[in-house]
Amino acid sequence: MDNLDTDQLIPARFMSAPRADGYGRFLMHDLRRDAQGAPHPDFPLNRHEDVCVLVVGRNFGSGSSREAAVYALVDAGIRAVVGPSFGDIFAANAVNNGLLPGRVSEAEAQSLAEILQDDPQPVDIDLSAGWISLAGQRIPFQLDESWRTKLINGWDDIDLTLQHQSAIASFRDAHVKSMPGALPAKQINAP
Amino acid sequence: MSGPRTLLDRLWSAHEIRQREDGTSLLWVDRHLVHEGSHHAFAKLAARGMAVAEPGLTFAVVDHYAPTRRGAGPTDPDIGRMISTLRDNAARHGVKLFDLDDPEQGIVHVIGPEQGLTLPGLLINCGDSHTSTHGAFGALAFGIGATEVAHVLASQTIWQRKPAAMRITVDGVLGPGVSAKDIALNWIAALGTGGAQGAAIEYTGSAVRALSMEGRMTLCNLSIEGGARMGMVAPDQVTFDYIAGRSYAPRGATWDHAQAYWSGLRSDTDAEFAKDVSLPAGDIAPTVTWGTSPDQALPVTATIPDPDTLQAGGSEAAQQALDYMGLRAGAAIAGTPVDQVFIGSCTNGRIEDLRAAAAVLAGRRAKVPGLVSPGSAQVKARAEEEGLDRIFADAGLEWAAAGCSMCVGMNGDTVATGKRCASSTNRNFRGRQGPGARTHLMSPAMVAAAAVTGAITDVRPLLRGRAV
Ligand code: SF4
């Protein structure tokens, strides 16, 4: 399905829950169930257990910046989503939570979906080489270089950034001097 | 950098602290806006025992969960907890909070500009995708996720890869009853939700120049619905006039200096864009969405497309959308009965939007129930001064307090399952306004037209003989 947006990945009404309780149960909540809350038997995620890779349609994760959409996937045990394109903020959020957003062509996504149509298959993903293999086929996926390193090393950006602390401090000083309005007026004027 | 530069180039280089070998830049953040949804980010900060690096550049606001009927207070304990958590976090870190009862409270993307926090040349982040709104001032403004919010809180910086620059030129004059919302829905329908994927869009052309700041904000706000990362308009006199005198805006000598600097924030005439699109303003009709994705939009005069005639990929999606929306291919979109209406949101909850809706509603009765939620407490006060609240009430619509309200349904304002809502918001996603809700996006004037006729209607005949 194309354009599977963040409101479908996790409906807004679940977003006040604390993360500690796990977000997996909210994943695609309203798509998976009918109005009475009974699961649709033929929805792919309801048919299989232990799913860790999802093959998805175009523009997956479009819409909101809600990182909860990624939490729902990760907490449900998903390690990778593979599809032709992703919502921009969604993909960044995914990488920040160790979830791979792998880009493949429309045709490759289609053939992956066909292979997986009836029977789920064990899947191998090689992050550094950039391919996904299943049912004897090896399909390359695209991933931003900086994201690849981040996923492989499990880097935390905050630690990385704090190494640049002194560069940040001197930039700040020069910036607030040169950029008009860099500091909000009310605060400058405040005693 | 030498050679012709785009507005994006100028804004980017003014904030770049350094660039990594892989091309990712570390950028300085001038304003960080947070709301109730930032609780995950504050929790990450707490887990590391860190403080907010720049509390003076961080501003918090209650909006997503703000109850629309203030008197009653939040009835749901979860909603109350979301608001009190933000209060606690703001107090703990010394961050200015625009709380529920603050006369300056409102939707984050409405009050940023209203308070003069949003200025040309600044880099603005918020954990909300519609942060693109602030680009209307010639600012670099984009939404971020919770991990990134935590990063900005901790360091006042963000790692970003520079997006591709794209230009959308709208020349000519918009017809009566046609607004910025219609420009946006038009280009999104024309290019598809992936048409601007990841890009920074600069809007130019005489029709864009002629828009008020409110209109430019609507346009930039919806950039994200076309898949773009941000939208921007080069600042001009309209921008300066809007900003002058606002609470947090520069004054005196700083103001003169600022205005001189801001005047240089534009793309060189020979700057190159990765993608260049033109749209004649005169061709744009009032536009409505018929499906569950913002690119599924058409002129109100058109008929609902037949999925069989669309290309392979689009046809299945179109059929699913029609099923969900309960619509029939080939039927005229005008005349589709609606059950209720909603006017509000960061897209169309500003004073001009309310005026446009009131111009249609004045002296008329709504045939269906509806809710009007102003974008901010100041918009509400202004509307009441102008008597717009009475026009809405006399028409039979409910006049409520400011917040995100029915745009996202987090505060309890939702559309019931299977009900059809004409809405001035930005997302017609399945279930966005409540499980099973059917949303049709359109301009505030078009929502008003739907209210008085009880169906999706071309607003233009209803405006004849009225001052708009
Ligand atoms: S009004 Fe809607 S789109 Fe805007 S910030 Fe609130 S929830 Fe988000």
Side-chain angles (χ1 to χ4, degrees), chain B residues 398-428:
Chain B
E398 186 182 357
W399 175 246
C404 295
S405 183
M406 210 176 272
C407 173
V408 67
M410 284 180 178
N411 74 339
D413 292 340
T414 52
V415 175
T417 306
K419 295 292 183 200
R420 192 180 300 284
C421 182
S423 186
S424 75
T425 55
N426 44 54
R427 289 194 173 136
N428 53 346

PDB file of all heavy atoms in Angstrom, chain B residues 398-428:
ATOM      1  N   GLU B 398     -20.058  26.219  16.566  1.00  0.00           N
ATOM      2  CA  GLU B 398     -19.524  26.399  17.914  1.00  0.00           C
ATOM      3  C   GLU B 398     -18.208  27.174  17.854  1.00  0.00           C
ATOM      4  O   GLU B 398     -17.317  26.866  17.061  1.00  0.00           O
ATOM      5  CB  GLU B 398     -19.285  25.025  18.558  1.00  0.00           C
ATOM      6  CG  GLU B 398     -18.876  25.149  20.012  1.00  0.00           C
ATOM      7  CD  GLU B 398     -18.588  23.802  20.659  1.00  0.00           C
ATOM      8  OE1 GLU B 398     -18.753  22.758  20.004  1.00  0.00           O
ATOM      9  OE2 GLU B 398     -18.186  23.814  21.843  1.00  0.00           O
ATOM     10  N   TRP B 399     -18.078  28.180  18.708  1.00  0.00           N
ATOM     11  CA  TRP B 399     -16.874  29.026  18.772  1.00  0.00           C
ATOM     12  C   TRP B 399     -16.085  28.572  19.990  1.00  0.00           C
ATOM     13  O   TRP B 399     -16.583  28.650  21.109  1.00  0.00           O
ATOM     14  CB  TRP B 399     -17.309  30.484  18.885  1.00  0.00           C
ATOM     15  CG  TRP B 399     -16.208  31.484  19.081  1.00  0.00           C
ATOM     16  CD1 TRP B 399     -15.999  32.251  20.202  1.00  0.00           C
ATOM     17  CD2 TRP B 399     -15.202  31.870  18.134  1.00  0.00           C
ATOM     18  NE1 TRP B 399     -14.918  33.076  20.008  1.00  0.00           N
ATOM     19  CE2 TRP B 399     -14.409  32.865  18.754  1.00  0.00           C
ATOM     20  CE3 TRP B 399     -14.883  31.460  16.842  1.00  0.00           C
ATOM     21  CZ2 TRP B 399     -13.321  33.462  18.120  1.00  0.00           C
ATOM     22  CZ3 TRP B 399     -13.795  32.054  16.206  1.00  0.00           C
ATOM     23  CH2 TRP B 399     -13.032  33.046  16.849  1.00  0.00           C
ATOM     24  N   ALA B 400     -14.884  28.074  19.789  1.00  0.00           N
ATOM     25  CA  ALA B 400     -14.165  27.443  20.889  1.00  0.00           C
ATOM     26  C   ALA B 400     -12.822  28.120  21.140  1.00  0.00           C
ATOM     27  O   ALA B 400     -12.481  29.120  20.522  1.00  0.00           O
ATOM     28  CB  ALA B 400     -13.965  25.975  20.564  1.00  0.00           C
ATOM     29  N   ALA B 401     -12.050  27.549  22.053  1.00  0.00           N
ATOM     30  CA  ALA B 401     -10.740  28.105  22.409  1.00  0.00           C
ATOM     31  C   ALA B 401      -9.670  27.575  21.459  1.00  0.00           C
ATOM     32  O   ALA B 401      -9.905  26.687  20.646  1.00  0.00           O
ATOM     33  CB  ALA B 401     -10.411  27.768  23.852  1.00  0.00           C
ATOM     34  N   ALA B 402      -8.461  28.136  21.585  1.00  0.00           N
ATOM     35  CA  ALA B 402      -7.382  27.864  20.636  1.00  0.00           C
ATOM     36  C   ALA B 402      -6.635  26.570  20.935  1.00  0.00           C
ATOM     37  O   ALA B 402      -6.395  26.221  22.084  1.00  0.00           O
ATOM     38  CB  ALA B 402      -6.402  29.033  20.648  1.00  0.00           C
ATOM     39  N   GLY B 403      -6.252  25.898  19.869  1.00  0.00           N
ATOM     40  CA  GLY B 403      -5.452  24.684  19.994  1.00  0.00           C
ATOM     41  C   GLY B 403      -5.513  23.899  18.699  1.00  0.00           C
ATOM     42  O   GLY B 403      -6.122  24.350  17.724  1.00  0.00           O
ATOM     43  N   CYS B 404      -4.889  22.730  18.684  1.00  0.00           N
ATOM     44  CA  CYS B 404      -4.879  21.915  17.467  1.00  0.00           C
ATOM     45  C   CYS B 404      -6.237  21.274  17.214  1.00  0.00           C
ATOM     46  O   CYS B 404      -6.612  21.001  16.078  1.00  0.00           O
ATOM     47  CB  CYS B 404      -3.814  20.833  17.566  1.00  0.00           C
ATOM     48  SG  CYS B 404      -2.148  21.507  17.620  1.00  0.00           S
ATOM     49  N   SER B 405      -6.929  20.981  18.310  1.00  0.00           N
ATOM     50  CA  SER B 405      -8.312  20.530  18.239  1.00  0.00           C
ATOM     51  C   SER B 405      -8.523  19.406  17.223  1.00  0.00           C
ATOM     52  O   SER B 405      -7.789  18.424  17.197  1.00  0.00           O
ATOM     53  CB  SER B 405      -9.213  21.740  17.945  1.00  0.00           C
ATOM     54  OG  SER B 405     -10.566  21.380  17.922  1.00  0.00           O
ATOM     55  N   MET B 406      -9.501  19.597  16.354  1.00  0.00           N
ATOM     56  CA  MET B 406      -9.940  18.522  15.468  1.00  0.00           C
ATOM     57  C   MET B 406      -8.974  18.254  14.309  1.00  0.00           C
ATOM     58  O   MET B 406      -9.215  17.382  13.486  1.00  0.00           O
ATOM     59  CB  MET B 406     -11.326  18.852  14.934  1.00  0.00           C
ATOM     60  CG  MET B 406     -12.167  17.629  14.627  1.00  0.00           C
ATOM     61  SD  MET B 406     -13.807  18.120  14.119  1.00  0.00           S
ATOM     62  CE  MET B 406     -14.652  18.239  15.675  1.00  0.00           C
ATOM     63  N   CYS B 407      -7.874  18.994  14.256  1.00  0.00           N
ATOM     64  CA  CYS B 407      -6.880  18.714  13.215  1.00  0.00           C
ATOM     65  C   CYS B 407      -6.285  17.336  13.437  1.00  0.00           C
ATOM     66  O   CYS B 407      -5.969  16.618  12.502  1.00  0.00           O
ATOM     67  CB  CYS B 407      -5.782  19.767  13.232  1.00  0.00           C
ATOM     68  SG  CYS B 407      -4.449  19.383  12.116  1.00  0.00           S
ATOM     69  N   VAL B 408      -6.115  16.975  14.692  1.00  0.00           N
ATOM     70  CA  VAL B 408      -5.422  15.727  15.000  1.00  0.00           C
ATOM     71  C   VAL B 408      -6.194  14.904  16.027  1.00  0.00           C
ATOM     72  O   VAL B 408      -5.935  13.726  16.228  1.00  0.00           O
ATOM     73  CB  VAL B 408      -3.965  16.027  15.451  1.00  0.00           C
ATOM     74  CG1 VAL B 408      -3.932  16.757  16.780  1.00  0.00           C
ATOM     75  CG2 VAL B 408      -3.092  14.792  15.481  1.00  0.00           C
ATOM     76  N   GLY B 409      -7.190  15.530  16.646  1.00  0.00           N
ATOM     77  CA  GLY B 409      -8.055  14.783  17.547  1.00  0.00           C
ATOM     78  C   GLY B 409      -7.411  14.308  18.840  1.00  0.00           C
ATOM     79  O   GLY B 409      -7.945  13.449  19.528  1.00  0.00           O
ATOM     80  N   MET B 410      -6.258  14.887  19.200  1.00  0.00           N
ATOM     81  CA  MET B 410      -5.593  14.430  20.425  1.00  0.00           C
ATOM     82  C   MET B 410      -6.298  14.932  21.680  1.00  0.00           C
ATOM     83  O   MET B 410      -6.182  14.353  22.738  1.00  0.00           O
ATOM     84  CB  MET B 410      -4.157  14.938  20.466  1.00  0.00           C
ATOM     85  CG  MET B 410      -3.221  14.197  19.550  1.00  0.00           C
ATOM     86  SD  MET B 410      -1.577  14.915  19.713  1.00  0.00           S
ATOM     87  CE  MET B 410      -0.647  13.869  18.612  1.00  0.00           C
ATOM     88  N   ASN B 411      -6.968  16.064  21.557  1.00  0.00           N
ATOM     89  CA  ASN B 411      -7.577  16.672  22.745  1.00  0.00           C
ATOM     90  C   ASN B 411      -8.989  16.162  22.972  1.00  0.00           C
ATOM     91  O   ASN B 411      -9.696  16.660  23.822  1.00  0.00           O
ATOM     92  CB  ASN B 411      -7.587  18.203  22.610  1.00  0.00           C
ATOM     93  CG  ASN B 411      -8.628  18.686  21.626  1.00  0.00           C
ATOM     94  OD1 ASN B 411      -9.070  17.932  20.766  1.00  0.00           O
ATOM     95  ND2 ASN B 411      -9.035  19.919  21.741  1.00  0.00           N
ATOM     96  N   GLY B 412      -9.391  15.184  22.174  1.00  0.00           N
ATOM     97  CA  GLY B 412     -10.722  14.616  22.354  1.00  0.00           C
ATOM     98  C   GLY B 412     -11.734  15.113  21.333  1.00  0.00           C
ATOM     99  O   GLY B 412     -12.830  14.569  21.227  1.00  0.00           O
ATOM    100  N   ASP B 413     -11.403  16.167  20.546  1.00  0.00           N
ATOM    101  CA  ASP B 413     -12.300  16.624  19.487  1.00  0.00           C
ATOM    102  C   ASP B 413     -12.093  15.723  18.277  1.00  0.00           C
ATOM    103  O   ASP B 413     -11.078  15.823  17.595  1.00  0.00           O
ATOM    104  CB  ASP B 413     -11.967  18.068  19.055  1.00  0.00           C
ATOM    105  CG  ASP B 413     -12.269  19.084  20.137  1.00  0.00           C
ATOM    106  OD1 ASP B 413     -13.064  18.761  21.037  1.00  0.00           O
ATOM    107  OD2 ASP B 413     -11.702  20.197  20.092  1.00  0.00           O
ATOM    108  N   THR B 414     -13.054  14.857  18.016  1.00  0.00           N
ATOM    109  CA  THR B 414     -12.870  13.958  16.875  1.00  0.00           C
ATOM    110  C   THR B 414     -14.121  13.924  16.002  1.00  0.00           C
ATOM    111  O   THR B 414     -15.188  14.374  16.407  1.00  0.00           O
ATOM    112  CB  THR B 414     -12.554  12.516  17.323  1.00  0.00           C
ATOM    113  OG1 THR B 414     -13.551  12.109  18.264  1.00  0.00           O
ATOM    114  CG2 THR B 414     -11.188  12.416  17.973  1.00  0.00           C
ATOM    115  N   VAL B 415     -13.942  13.382  14.816  1.00  0.00           N
ATOM    116  CA  VAL B 415     -15.050  13.147  13.900  1.00  0.00           C
ATOM    117  C   VAL B 415     -15.434  11.675  14.084  1.00  0.00           C
ATOM    118  O   VAL B 415     -14.555  10.813  14.136  1.00  0.00           O
ATOM    119  CB  VAL B 415     -14.600  13.420  12.443  1.00  0.00           C
ATOM    120  CG1 VAL B 415     -15.698  13.072  11.451  1.00  0.00           C
ATOM    121  CG2 VAL B 415     -14.159  14.877  12.289  1.00  0.00           C
ATOM    122  N   ALA B 416     -16.723  11.395  14.182  1.00  0.00           N
ATOM    123  CA  ALA B 416     -17.152  10.017  14.447  1.00  0.00           C
ATOM    124  C   ALA B 416     -16.927   9.117  13.230  1.00  0.00           C
ATOM    125  O   ALA B 416     -16.833   9.593  12.097  1.00  0.00           O
ATOM    126  CB  ALA B 416     -18.630  10.009  14.842  1.00  0.00           C
ATOM    127  N   THR B 417     -16.841   7.823  13.479  1.00  0.00           N
ATOM    128  CA  THR B 417     -16.616   6.834  12.420  1.00  0.00           C
ATOM    129  C   THR B 417     -17.635   6.979  11.285  1.00  0.00           C
ATOM    130  O   THR B 417     -18.842   7.058  11.544  1.00  0.00           O
ATOM    131  CB  THR B 417     -16.720   5.419  13.010  1.00  0.00           C
ATOM    132  OG1 THR B 417     -15.819   5.345  14.111  1.00  0.00           O
ATOM    133  CG2 THR B 417     -16.358   4.356  11.985  1.00  0.00           C
ATOM    134  N   GLY B 418     -17.121   7.028  10.065  1.00  0.00           N
ATOM    135  CA  GLY B 418     -17.998   7.081   8.907  1.00  0.00           C
ATOM    136  C   GLY B 418     -18.538   8.467   8.597  1.00  0.00           C
ATOM    137  O   GLY B 418     -19.143   8.678   7.554  1.00  0.00           O
ATOM    138  N   LYS B 419     -18.302   9.418   9.501  1.00  0.00           N
ATOM    139  CA  LYS B 419     -18.826  10.778   9.257  1.00  0.00           C
ATOM    140  C   LYS B 419     -17.881  11.540   8.333  1.00  0.00           C
ATOM    141  O   LYS B 419     -16.675  11.313   8.318  1.00  0.00           O
ATOM    142  CB  LYS B 419     -18.970  11.538  10.583  1.00  0.00           C
ATOM    143  CG  LYS B 419     -20.005  10.927  11.515  1.00  0.00           C
ATOM    144  CD  LYS B 419     -21.415  11.091  10.969  1.00  0.00           C
ATOM    145  CE  LYS B 419     -22.433  10.538  11.958  1.00  0.00           C
ATOM    146  NZ  LYS B 419     -23.715  10.251  11.317  1.00  0.00           N
ATOM    147  N   ARG B 420     -18.488  12.465   7.585  1.00  0.00           N
ATOM    148  CA  ARG B 420     -17.731  13.234   6.598  1.00  0.00           C
ATOM    149  C   ARG B 420     -17.575  14.667   7.085  1.00  0.00           C
ATOM    150  O   ARG B 420     -18.567  15.302   7.456  1.00  0.00           O
ATOM    151  CB  ARG B 420     -18.500  13.197   5.272  1.00  0.00           C
ATOM    152  CG  ARG B 420     -17.751  13.701   4.066  1.00  0.00           C
ATOM    153  CD  ARG B 420     -18.624  13.621   2.809  1.00  0.00           C
ATOM    154  NE  ARG B 420     -19.058  12.258   2.501  1.00  0.00           N
ATOM    155  CZ  ARG B 420     -18.280  11.325   1.957  1.00  0.00           C
ATOM    156  NH1 ARG B 420     -17.028  11.615   1.666  1.00  0.00           N
ATOM    157  NH2 ARG B 420     -18.741  10.113   1.716  1.00  0.00           N
ATOM    158  N   CYS B 421     -16.323  15.138   7.085  1.00  0.00           N
ATOM    159  CA  CYS B 421     -16.044  16.470   7.614  1.00  0.00           C
ATOM    160  C   CYS B 421     -15.357  17.332   6.559  1.00  0.00           C
ATOM    161  O   CYS B 421     -14.349  16.935   5.976  1.00  0.00           O
ATOM    162  CB  CYS B 421     -15.162  16.361   8.853  1.00  0.00           C
ATOM    163  SG  CYS B 421     -14.797  17.939   9.639  1.00  0.00           S
ATOM    164  N   ALA B 422     -15.921  18.530   6.314  1.00  0.00           N
ATOM    165  CA  ALA B 422     -15.236  19.522   5.485  1.00  0.00           C
ATOM    166  C   ALA B 422     -14.325  20.281   6.432  1.00  0.00           C
ATOM    167  O   ALA B 422     -14.780  20.838   7.423  1.00  0.00           O
ATOM    168  CB  ALA B 422     -16.242  20.473   4.844  1.00  0.00           C
ATOM    169  N   SER B 423     -13.013  20.280   6.151  1.00  0.00           N
ATOM    170  CA  SER B 423     -12.062  20.710   7.152  1.00  0.00           C
ATOM    171  C   SER B 423     -10.993  21.635   6.561  1.00  0.00           C
ATOM    172  O   SER B 423     -10.484  21.382   5.470  1.00  0.00           O
ATOM    173  CB  SER B 423     -11.414  19.451   7.740  1.00  0.00           C
ATOM    174  OG  SER B 423     -10.572  19.770   8.806  1.00  0.00           O
ATOM    175  N   SER B 424     -10.635  22.664   7.311  1.00  0.00           N
ATOM    176  CA  SER B 424      -9.622  23.614   6.822  1.00  0.00           C
ATOM    177  C   SER B 424      -8.218  23.160   7.206  1.00  0.00           C
ATOM    178  O   SER B 424      -7.282  23.949   7.159  1.00  0.00           O
ATOM    179  CB  SER B 424      -9.883  25.004   7.405  1.00  0.00           C
ATOM    180  OG  SER B 424      -9.483  25.047   8.759  1.00  0.00           O
ATOM    181  N   THR B 425      -8.059  21.892   7.589  1.00  0.00           N
ATOM    182  CA  THR B 425      -6.779  21.393   8.103  1.00  0.00           C
ATOM    183  C   THR B 425      -5.855  20.931   6.984  1.00  0.00           C
ATOM    184  O   THR B 425      -6.039  21.322   5.822  1.00  0.00           O
ATOM    185  CB  THR B 425      -7.057  20.247   9.096  1.00  0.00           C
ATOM    186  OG1 THR B 425      -7.868  19.265   8.430  1.00  0.00           O
ATOM    187  CG2 THR B 425      -7.812  20.762  10.311  1.00  0.00           C
ATOM    188  N   ASN B 426      -4.883  20.103   7.312  1.00  0.00           N
ATOM    189  CA  ASN B 426      -3.832  19.760   6.357  1.00  0.00           C
ATOM    190  C   ASN B 426      -3.697  18.285   6.027  1.00  0.00           C
ATOM    191  O   ASN B 426      -2.920  17.909   5.162  1.00  0.00           O
ATOM    192  CB  ASN B 426      -2.499  20.269   6.902  1.00  0.00           C
ATOM    193  CG  ASN B 426      -2.375  19.959   8.382  1.00  0.00           C
ATOM    194  OD1 ASN B 426      -2.524  18.813   8.788  1.00  0.00           O
ATOM    195  ND2 ASN B 426      -2.141  20.967   9.200  1.00  0.00           N
ATOM    196  N   ARG B 427      -4.360  17.416   6.749  1.00  0.00           N
ATOM    197  CA  ARG B 427      -4.189  15.987   6.475  1.00  0.00           C
ATOM    198  C   ARG B 427      -5.529  15.282   6.383  1.00  0.00           C
ATOM    199  O   ARG B 427      -6.336  15.361   7.306  1.00  0.00           O
ATOM    200  CB  ARG B 427      -3.321  15.324   7.557  1.00  0.00           C
ATOM    201  CG  ARG B 427      -1.903  15.773   7.400  1.00  0.00           C
ATOM    202  CD  ARG B 427      -0.907  14.960   8.178  1.00  0.00           C
ATOM    203  NE  ARG B 427       0.409  15.421   7.776  1.00  0.00           N
ATOM    204  CZ  ARG B 427       1.414  15.670   8.596  1.00  0.00           C
ATOM    205  NH1 ARG B 427       1.271  15.451   9.895  1.00  0.00           N
ATOM    206  NH2 ARG B 427       2.564  16.095   8.139  1.00  0.00           N
ATOM    207  N   ASN B 428      -5.697  14.599   5.253  1.00  0.00           N
ATOM    208  CA  ASN B 428      -6.917  13.825   5.049  1.00  0.00           C
ATOM    209  C   ASN B 428      -6.624  12.339   5.226  1.00  0.00           C
ATOM    210  O   ASN B 428      -7.323  11.499   4.697  1.00  0.00           O
ATOM    211  CB  ASN B 428      -7.481  14.102   3.649  1.00  0.00           C
ATOM    212  CG  ASN B 428      -6.451  13.905   2.550  1.00  0.00           C
ATOM    213  OD1 ASN B 428      -5.255  13.810   2.813  1.00  0.00           O
ATOM    214  ND2 ASN B 428      -6.899  13.828   1.314  1.00  0.00           N
TER     215      ASN B 428
END
